[in-house]
Amino acid sequence: MRHGKKVNHLGRTDSHRKAMLANMASSLIQHKRITTTLAKAKALRVYVEPLLTESKNDTTHSRRTVFSYLQDKDTVSILFREIAEKIANRPGGYTRIVKLENRLGDNAEMAIIELVDYNTVYTKDGAAATEKKSTRRRGGKSKAAAKTETVEVAPVAEATPAVEEAPATETPAASDKEENAEKGE
């Protein structure tokens, strides 16, 4: 029976599993999102979330503790500089696992594991950014540009009589019909 055996060994020896999880954690921290199998993603989440919690407390001891797991100076510096600032107010749950289609070769369940605060689709900042873009498109031009346009439009409208504008407002389809009628005559 399997009582008290919570670790998924992933079909690897202890040293191989630790090295693989350390490499995957480094990749996740550097790239903010990786694609892997579902079992590896779940094992990585258990491995990396305590490291992310440890990075909130930027002390020499916590840096050395995290380095003992990751074995990569650049990754540790990225973790403590960039990621720790973004996750400072989050009380856990730093990663998200999104299931994908099964892999073609061996039909393995695939998943994306990503850092929650770096996905602009789901975060509040991303929603605000998309709203700003849409309001800019609807708003069109700035107030200064609108004022200059009204100044330019007013003299042009006064200088040209309304009679001359009538042929310009015809649709291209109507002018084509007239040309066809002239050719027929």
Side-chain angles (χ1 to χ4, degrees), residues 168-181:
T169 58
E170 289 182 15
T171 61
S175 62
D176 289 342
K177 289 179 185 176
E178 289 176 6
E179 288 177 11
N180 292 337

Side-chain angles (χ1 to χ4, degrees), residues 50-52 54-55 61-71 76 79-80:
L51 301 179
L52 294 170
E54 189 75 21
S55 72
H61 177 67
S62 61
R63 280 181 178 263
R64 287 178 178 168
T65 304
V66 170
F67 181 76
S68 71
Y69 284 93
L70 298 179
Q71 297 294 319
V76 172
L79 176 63
F80 279 88

Side-chain angles (χ1 to χ4, degrees), residues 59 83 100 126 132 136 140 165:
T59 62
I83 297 175
L100 300 174
K132 287 181 184 176
R136 282 188 206 135
E165 290 181 9

Side-chain angles (χ1 to χ4, degrees), residues 102-143:
N102 291 357
R103 190 163 51 196
L104 288 177
D106 59 355
N107 206 32
E109 293 179 319
M110 298 299 288
I112 291 177
I113 183 167
E114 61 188 359
L115 297 177
V116 172
D117 293 316
Y118 282 90
N119 190 337
T120 57
V121 175
Y122 296 116
T123 57
K124 294 176 184 175
D125 297 336
T130 56
E131 288 176 13
K132 287 181 184 176
K133 287 181 184 176
S134 62
T135 53
R136 282 188 206 135
R137 288 182 189 142
R138 278 186 250 136
K141 299 162 187 153
S142 65
K143 293 179 182 177

